[in-house]
Amino acid sequence: MKPTMLKLAKWHIWLGWLVGVPIIMWTATGLFMVAKPIEEVRGNHLRLPVDEAPLVLDDSPLATSEAQLREMRVTMQDGRAVAFLTTLDGITTRVDVASGDPIPALDAAAARALVARRIVGGDAVRSIRLFEADEVPFDFRRPVPVWQVVLEDGAHVYVGRDTGQIEAVRTRWWRWFDVMWGLHIMDLSEREDTSHPILITFAALSLVGALFGCILMFRRRKARVRARTKAPVGA
């Protein structure tokens, strides 16, 4: 064997000793974490179903029994108090708290202006398009009607049509990260399932392979020691 190859083989052995323990730790803990769906880990399967009751506040013109609200959230938006009203059906609207008047949904010009004010480089817009809740792009993945504002640097800014807020920012780096995450959990279709048979199987095989590798390193080291002790003097 050439000297260079001998050096590489020696470095490979020492590198194996160095990373062997963390590799086993990563694969073992990874196998443990994917063995159960995250919903079961969080105990969601233990929760009993509860019928939702509408939010009703006395003396409130907004939270009435007829409105059938699930949630009412008040915040400042563009210098005025705005109430976000979400019904039991999941529909969100905005209301001016002072006047009680509904605030109209954002149009393309308003969405563009919001991005220009709130996002670095947001004035360099390549395109803008409205997506309904049932047809949102894959990099958004939330059933909310949004304006997709594509910037010149490749970032996708999602502005809620009914909320008037920036719901998400997806840079080019985020989209590549999303692909890598899908490969990492072996779920390229939804990129959310962290516990499925394929992932569990390969995590288990990786753990077995790492254990075998560490065992073989011990055996190889013992074999080298025995070979040196048996070598004739002066050899």
Side-chain angles (χ1 to χ4, degrees):
M1 187 178 293
K2 297 181 179 180
T4 302
M5 297 303 294
L6 286 172
K7 286 184 178 180
L8 289 177
K10 185 177 180 180
W11 291 345
H12 180 265
I13 293 172
W14 283 107
L15 183 61
W17 282 104
L18 181 64
V19 303
V21 173
I23 286 178
I24 291 177
M25 180 182 64
W26 291 334
T27 52
T29 54
L31 177 60
F32 179 86
M33 288 188 292
V34 303
K36 286 288 187 181
I38 190 62
E39 292 78 13
E40 290 189 30
V41 175
R42 292 171 177 166
N44 293 345
H45 64 296
L46 302 177
R47 297 176 180 269
L48 296 174
V50 178
D51 294 332
E52 287 189 291
L55 173 65
V56 179
L57 299 176
D58 294 336
D59 301 326
S60 172
L62 301 178
T64 63
S65 58
E66 294 78 13
Q68 291 292 292
L69 296 182
R70 174 190 298 162
E71 179 185 42
M72 180 175 69
R73 182 169 59 91
V74 179
T75 185
M76 292 298 295
Q77 191 175 71
D78 297 329
R80 60 179 172 177
V82 174
F84 292 87
L85 308 179
T86 304
T87 65
L88 294 176
D89 297 332
I91 300 175
T92 300
T93 56
R94 290 186 300 160
V95 175
D96 188 304
V97 174
S99 64
D101 297 332
I103 300 175
L106 261 67
D107 57 12
R112 181 191 292 261
L114 179 63
V115 172
R117 293 197 308 270
R118 301 288 176 82
I119 299 295
V120 175
D123 54 344
V125 176
R126 183 185 303 169
S127 65
I128 183 170
R129 177 184 173 186
L130 176 65
F131 288 90
E132 296 295 338
D134 58 350
E135 59 175 14
V136 293
F138 188 71
D139 63 347
F140 185 63
R141 296 203 289 272
R142 287 169 53 194
V144 177
V146 289
W147 289 98
Q148 182 196 62
V149 183
V150 180
L151 304 182
E152 290 294 341
D153 62 1
H156 294 174
V157 183
Y158 290 99
V159 180
R161 182 196 64 188
D162 300 325
T163 64
Q165 297 184 126
I166 294 177
E167 299 290 342
V169 180
R170 306 302 192 210
T171 63
R172 286 179 176 174
W173 181 256
W174 187 98
R175 295 195 293 275
W176 276 109
F177 181 94
D178 194 41
V179 173
M180 296 300 108
W181 170 249
L183 291 172
H184 183 68
I185 64 174
M186 297 184 178
D187 178 24
L188 281 175
S189 59
E190 300 297 331
R191 299 174 192 171
E192 294 182 355
D193 189 358
T194 58
S195 179
H196 53 86
I198 296 177
L199 180 58
I200 294 172
T201 299
F202 277 97
L205 291 175
S206 299
L207 177 58
V208 172
L211 288 171
F212 283 179
C214 287
I215 293 172
L216 289 174
M217 282 194 301
F218 278 105
R219 291 181 60 85
R220 183 173 180 179
R221 181 174 178 82
K222 290 180 179 179
R224 292 180 63 186
V225 171
R226 285 197 298 267
R228 287 176 181 176
T229 57
K230 292 181 180 180
V233 178

